[in-house]
Amino acid sequence: MAQQAAFNYDNVQIFTGLPVPGGNGGLPQPTAPAGGHALASVDEFRAAAEVQASMAIAKRYPRDEYAAYTRIMAACKRQSLAESAVYAYPRGGATVTGPSIRLAEVLANAWGNIDYGYREIGSGPGYTDVECYAFDKESNSRACRTFRVQHVRSTRQGGKGLTDPRDVYELVANQASRRVRACILQIIPGDITEAAVKACEETMQRAGGDVPLVDRVRKMATAFQGLGITTEMLERRLGHKLDAAIETELAQLRRIYTAIKDGAAKREDYFELATALPDQSADKPARGAAQKHNGKAPVDQPAEV
């Protein structure tokens, strides 16, 4: 038997999946990092390796769809989740409802083998570029949204530029959460999402228990006061006193509360906010007459949430 020739593999480049440059014997070769960018290249290679490893684990331990569905239905029986599972906001004279980011997160975690989140991909004076994503590591399907967040908060007096890092972070996180929700719901099967929403609605119908409806309505009104929304505003929207609210209207108020609290909508999208009277010293008698006529002091405009 002929003796096998010895080969020297010292010059063989590591496979990285990058395009193959000429003169390398057909083997992929990583691009040489430019000066000062070596650490960035190492981080990119590490991130790619982590993704490949997580996909390999997902293939080895695929999800049990029946068990995942059971976990989702069990989670939807929790009242704390059901109360924040659906949002509602007005558009074109109608009210749009859908699964909230809280429910989307529960769906993704229970469904399993899904990676989701957001990351900042760029920034500049007064703006941040963000990428939101959801990645099913089993099917290799990915949903992605890329958008720009202007560091401006909308108020009734116009746009207000943000300079505090915490305000900027909260603004970016708030807008990113809605895109993350859309990405997750694009990955999760639609029938699973519909079943979860229906289960949460059934949980809310059973949530009353022995507590009278009027007490639950008053508790909801107290929660709205924390957002600067008074009982009078709620009654103007319902068209009647809170004591006359029905179960369906209470569920609608919960959805509105979730939408405003999560930043999906503003208070003025649902309610007529009280406007502060002009501060004119020469008009004090007229203001006093108005107070006497209304039986109460004028209400100042609440601060923006």
Side-chain angles (χ1 to χ4, degrees):
M1 182 177 181
Q3 184 177 2
Q4 185 176 2
F7 292 94
N8 185 0
Y9 295 96
D10 293 340
N11 294 325
V12 176
Q13 301 295 330
I14 300 174
F15 175 78
T16 63
L18 297 177
V20 182
N24 191 35
L27 293 175
Q29 177 181 355
T31 303
H37 297 285
L39 291 179
S41 299
V42 171
D43 289 340
E44 292 177 359
F45 293 160
R46 181 184 294 112
E50 290 176 354
V51 171
Q52 293 177 357
S54 63
M55 291 179 62
I57 294 175
K59 292 290 186 179
R60 184 174 182 181
Y61 302 101
R63 71 175 59 92
D64 184 340
E65 294 190 1
Y66 178 79
Y69 179 82
T70 302
R71 289 194 297 269
I72 292 173
M73 292 298 104
C76 292
K77 293 180 180 179
R78 301 199 307 266
Q79 182 179 350
S80 59
L81 173 62
E83 289 178 349
S84 60
V86 179
Y87 67 85
Y89 65 89
R91 175 180 292 175
T95 300
V96 179
T97 63
S100 68
I101 180 60
R102 302 293 169 253
L103 180 59
E105 291 172 347
V106 170
L107 293 175
N109 295 333
W111 196 243
N113 287 338
I114 292 181
D115 182 24
Y116 63 89
Y118 73 91
R119 61 174 182 167
E120 297 183 7
I121 57 178
S123 62
Y127 72 88
T128 301
D129 292 330
V130 183
E131 179 188 57
C132 299
Y133 64 91
F135 176 48
D136 189 332
K137 293 179 284 189
E138 282 192 35
S139 62
N140 198 25
S141 58
R142 179 182 178 90
C144 182
R145 302 283 191 280
T146 302
F147 62 101
R148 173 166 293 182
V149 179
Q150 300 291 342
H151 300 170
V152 177
R153 177 176 294 165
S154 299
T155 66
R156 293 180 64 86
Q157 292 76 30
K160 177 183 177 182
L162 302 179
T163 57
D164 186 85
R166 180 175 179 179
D167 292 339
V168 172
Y169 166 77
E170 291 177 350
L171 177 67
V172 172
N174 181 273
Q175 295 198 22
S177 66
R178 299 197 290 272
R179 274 78 172 189
V180 171
R181 176 190 63 206
C183 292
I184 293 176
L185 297 180
Q186 185 175 339
I187 295 296
I188 300 293
D191 59 327
I192 300 296
T193 302
E194 293 174 0
V197 171
K198 183 178 180 180
C200 289
E201 292 176 347
E202 294 174 352
T203 299
M204 289 304 304
Q205 293 176 359
R206 298 190 301 266
D210 298 331
V211 180
L213 176 60
V214 63
D215 291 339
R216 287 183 279 140
V217 173
R218 290 171 181 170
K219 182 179 179 181
M220 190 77 257
T222 302
F224 269 108
Q225 290 178 2
L227 300 178
I229 299 170
T230 64
T231 300
E232 290 76 11
M233 297 179 190
L234 295 174
E235 291 177 345
R236 280 199 298 267
R237 177 174 178 83
L238 295 176
H240 54 72
K241 294 292 185 180
L242 283 180
D243 294 343
I246 61 177
E247 193 77 45
T248 303
E249 291 174 327
L250 178 58
Q252 182 184 15
L253 290 179
R254 286 196 181 97
R255 294 173 182 175
I256 294 174
Y257 176 82
T258 300
I260 297 176
K261 185 178 180 182
D262 290 350
K266 301 177 183 178
R267 296 177 301 169
E268 52 266 32
D269 292 335
Y270 303 99
F271 306 100
E272 297 178 3
L273 300 182
T275 304
L277 295 177
D279 186 11
Q280 298 177 357
S281 301
D283 195 30
K284 286 184 178 179
R287 295 185 62 184
Q291 296 178 20
K292 182 177 179 181
H293 176 74
N294 295 330
K296 58 183 178 180
V299 181
D300 291 335
Q301 178 180 338
E304 290 293 327
V305 177

